[in-house]
Amino acid sequence: EKVIEGSGRVLERVGEREWRLVPTGFWQAHRGAATTYSTVVGEWAQASAGATAWDLYGGVGVFAAVLAEQVGPSGHVVSVESSKTAVDDGMEALADLGQVSFRHGRVERMIPELPAPEVVVLDPPRAGAGRDVVAAVAEAGPRRIVHVGCDPASFGRDVGLYRDHGFELADVRAFAAFPSTHHVECIGLFTR
């Protein structure tokens, strides 16, 4: 990479918050996706003031910002992400939110170290969360889970895994965020 002009960073916004990202980092492909998904996460997470929430596969903290508003300054949001670049960009963007902490590492390895959550939001890669992560999330005992999935097949598999652990799919929304492709973004709310 060689910056010819400018800062070498990409500016993205969700609501009033800005993220300055490395150009090779991940951001939603559809222009309105981050804002739209954040709105749904906010509606469904319903984290209580002072609660603990997890943002798994948290990227640069777009959903962590929403959760931070809900838990307030006395709460705690833990964002776990395997990309060090995304963690660094997220820490910079959310530096004013003391209730948010970022952890760099693989979700399946980090879950045992996390404090018990009231709410879990997760946005795994195309392969989905899978058996081990769903089991670990369920065992942590959250009241609500908001699961974002970009592949309907892996999302469907994960729905079945949550059901095996006593969670029901209370609501689901699908978004054609990738026009002219077979990909559909699904967001599910799971409750016990």
Side-chain angles (χ1 to χ4, degrees):
E1 295 173 34
K2 181 178 178 184
V3 178
I4 304 298
E5 185 177 323
S7 69
R9 308 289 274 179
V10 175
L11 176 64
E12 296 287 354
R13 289 187 177 92
V14 175
E16 299 299 314
R17 187 163 295 277
E18 294 182 348
W19 279 262
R20 295 186 184 282
L21 312 168
V22 296
T24 56
F26 175 80
W27 191 260
Q28 294 293 340
H30 189 282
R31 178 183 292 174
T35 298
T36 300
Y37 304 161
S38 292
T39 299
V40 175
V41 166
E43 289 172 8
W44 287 355
Q46 298 178 11
S48 304
T52 296
W54 294 354
D55 179 20
L56 305 180
Y57 309 95
V60 297
V62 173
F63 299 146
V66 172
L67 294 168
E69 289 178 22
Q70 293 183 353
V71 302
S74 64
H76 187 207
V77 177
V78 182
S79 181
V80 178
E81 171 57 45
S82 63
S83 165
K84 180 69 168 116
T85 302
V87 168
D88 291 344
D89 288 346
M91 288 173 58
E92 182 179 322
L94 305 185
D96 62 311
L97 298 175
Q99 67 269 48
V100 177
S101 64
F102 284 85
R103 306 230 182 141
H104 172 240
R106 295 183 57 86
V107 166
E108 58 272 18
R109 293 184 186 145
M110 300 297 289
I111 286 177
E113 302 173 14
L114 303 180
E118 177 187 66
V119 175
V120 175
V121 174
L122 63 163
D123 186 3
R126 190 166 307 282
R131 183 173 309 282
D132 293 342
V133 171
V134 169
V137 166
E139 187 175 312
R143 185 174 53 87
R144 299 167 83 78
I145 299 169
V146 181
H147 184 113
V148 182
C150 63
D151 179 68
S154 59
F155 180 82
R157 179 209 58 221
D158 288 345
V159 168
L161 294 171
Y162 286 119
R163 292 192 70 190
D164 290 346
H165 290 280
F167 283 90
E168 291 298 322
L169 181 61
D171 208 342
V172 66
R173 292 189 190 161
F175 300 90
F178 311 97
S180 302
T181 74
H182 67 282
H183 298 292
V184 175
E185 193 88 17
C186 299
I187 304 179
L189 170 62
F190 296 88
T191 59
R192 281 191 177 163

